[in-house]
Amino acid sequence: TKEVTGGFELYQRNWDAVNSMRTAMMSTDQNIIPNVNTTVAGAYLQWSRQFTDRLRLTTGVRLDTANMYARANTIDLNLFEAYKGAANLERRDTNPSANARVNYGLTGSWEAFAGVGTTVRLPDAQERFFNQRRMGSDWVGNPALAPTRNTEASAGLTFRRRGFYLKPLLFLSGLDNYVAIHNQARIFPRPLVMNTMARSYTGVDARIHGGEVSWGLPAGSRWLLSGGASYARGSKDAEPELGIFNTNLPEMPPLKVRTALRYGNRIWFAEAEGVAANAQRLADTDLGETPTAGYAIANLKFGLHVKRMTLTLGVDNLFDRYYREHLSFQ
């Protein structure tokens, strides 16, 4: 059997932000995201065919075109010119995407799958047009920032028998022009730009690899034991001339494991869950990230089925453990 699906997408996003500072002696307003319009149009086509009882192939293609421009007529171009050497406030990007996936049944219980794909992530208005003077260090976007292209391959297995399932997966991702935050030195002197350094954005080559596994084991008609684990390792190329010395990608989560036991019937359910995370020592010290310790917490959840609705009450971190997730919020 064959199946063909197609579609079209069109959306526009506007982002306008003003930073205001009021003191007894002065008042300043900065249009830090200068009324930026992002208009994206895309079309896609997906084709799937079941060749035999065991073999299925799915492929897809997509084309997107995007136009981004700053609408504010009072924007200060000095920061862009001082740190980036250019102040182009409009950019159009047209990018293709494609993917292919094959599923093959090895036995009645085991199925193997593998896929490869390439797609893009468009830089947002903040990454391209942010514009803020600050004490000590400015913050400026990069109008010439190119989209990030992600080319990824993945493979895994699925096992199902008598209600038990197991699904391990491995992936490898190559990121061209990954949007990295860095400390940008001033290139040219410009009026009122007194600082010599700014927080900014640039494109670097990066990689992420890792895997995950999920599983579930029913015990009778009302009990379910389930869990999973995930891990990802991200690295980027060093660019000393751009102030990028550390090769660790920021905000990467460490190894994380989850196990849950649920009891339920048609009226209500209850679930106890344990979550454990390993320490994360692969921090991006260029951005001030610090290592975080590992932790383990317990969560509870109760639910009530009322006709077509489910009411849920949950308590996270039941024993009030103190912990930190590895997120720097850069």
Side-chain angles (χ1 to χ4, degrees), residues 98 117-121 148-153 172-176 208:
T118 179
T119 189
V120 296
R121 171 192 173 274
T148 300
R149 176 161 292 278
N150 177 22
T151 301
E152 183 173 315
L172 175 63
S173 178
L175 301 162
D176 296 328
I208 302 176

Side-chain angles (χ1 to χ4, degrees), residues 271-275 295-302 313-323:
E271 180 179 282
E273 177 188 54
V275 178
Y295 65 88
I297 60 173
N299 307 320
L300 286 181
K301 185 185 297 183
F302 301 92
L313 174 66
V315 180
D316 286 347
N317 195 9
L318 180 65
F319 300 110
D320 199 24
R321 293 288 304 275
Y322 177 82
Y323 70 97

Side-chain angles (χ1 to χ4, degrees), residues 25-38:
M25 303 297 296
M26 62 181 294
S27 173
T28 60
D29 294 317
Q30 295 185 73
N31 201 177
I32 55 176
I33 301 181
N35 198 9
V36 178
N37 264 1
T38 303

Side-chain angles (χ1 to χ4, degrees), residues 61-76:
V61 293
R62 181 180 175 111
L63 183 67
D64 290 279
T65 183
N67 186 54
M68 181 182 292
Y69 64 96
R71 301 177 62 191
N73 54 16
T74 59
I75 184 171
D76 183 358

